[in-house]
Amino acid sequence: MSDALEMNRYVLSLSCPDRPGIVHAVSGVLASHGGNITESQQFGDADTGLFFMRVEFEVPAVQDDLRAEFAVLGERFEMTWRLDVAGRRMRTIVMVSKASHCVNDLLVRERAGTLPVDIVAVVGNHPTLQSLAEFYGKPFHHIPVTADTKPEAEAAVLSLVDELDAELVVLARYMQILSPEMCAALKGRAINIHHSFLPSFKGARPYFQAHDRGVKLIGATAHYVTADLDEGPIIEQDIERVDHSYTPESLTATGADVERRALARAVRWHAEHRVLLDGHRTIVFK
């Protein structure tokens, strides 16, 4: 096959007001370039009147040519859209405190090639996990946070995001509340994980509170970060049934498993451009 006919793989994701002709228009652009659709999903939300679509395709055209044509469609249909190389690893910063289970899981999956991210740095408000980051060959940045230094600390993190050209920030049990200003700066590109006991079991040691109440179900929620604490658009949730035989320690261990499963799926789906915002909800094309 000549270089001119070499097939490039892309993924297009879009949302716009629902109206006839959207799928036909997108398919027409791809057909005009000799493209082949390998995966396509769409959804029309009757509540919001919005249409969502994700398409993976192979095409001999280059990204700039496609962007020009999709820009025309974007104006025509009032689209919010994104075009990217399919399978490209997303540059990611992981923020941590002292708990290692979520960041370790992400690093293992990245190394195994099952998570399409490139973790360019680990940021910790404590130095506890520096050795773990270095074990995986990742730069560790210790940025301590106190009530007095919070604005400076957040500015340092955002500076690092810009310096490393990070596209995604993952709060892997990062035990700090982000300011509204930082949430706004990272809108749609910061993912947090928390135990689903919230808001029933607020504060410290939620699994001990759950044990005291005799819960039968525990879970975790991965969501986008917003200024409303732990109320951002939900990407993924997972659960595990438990019973009276569980101790606070075994509940904590089980909860850690649920947390890392939910977070890994949310990060993967975001990196694969499978998550589209629909107001305070998400559309996830799995």
Side-chain angles (χ1 to χ4, degrees), residues 26-94:
V26 171
S27 302
V29 169
L30 300 181
S32 69
H33 286 283
N36 177 49
I37 295 175
T38 58
E39 181 181 333
S40 179
Q41 295 171 286
Q42 54 265 342
F43 174 73
D45 189 338
D47 293 331
T48 63
L50 293 176
F51 177 80
F52 302 85
M53 187 175 185
R54 179 186 183 276
V55 186
E56 283 193 32
F57 57 92
E58 299 174 336
V59 65
V62 296
Q63 199 170 156
D64 289 344
D65 294 337
L66 293 170
R67 285 186 181 281
E69 295 207 36
F70 285 130
V72 174
L73 288 188
E75 292 186 11
R76 176 182 166 192
F77 290 99
E78 302 176 76
M79 287 180 182
T80 298
W81 60 278
R82 176 168 180 164
L83 179 69
D84 204 349
V85 175
R88 183 185 65 83
R89 298 198 304 162
M90 185 170 286
R91 296 177 63 82
T92 301
I93 288 176
V94 181

Side-chain angles (χ1 to χ4, degrees), residues 92-95 157 161 166-171 186 189-191:
T92 301
I93 288 176
V94 181
M95 300 184 68
V157 173
V161 169
E167 305 161 87
L168 175 64
V169 175
V170 179
L171 278 59
L186 297 175
R189 56 188 183 125
I191 296 175

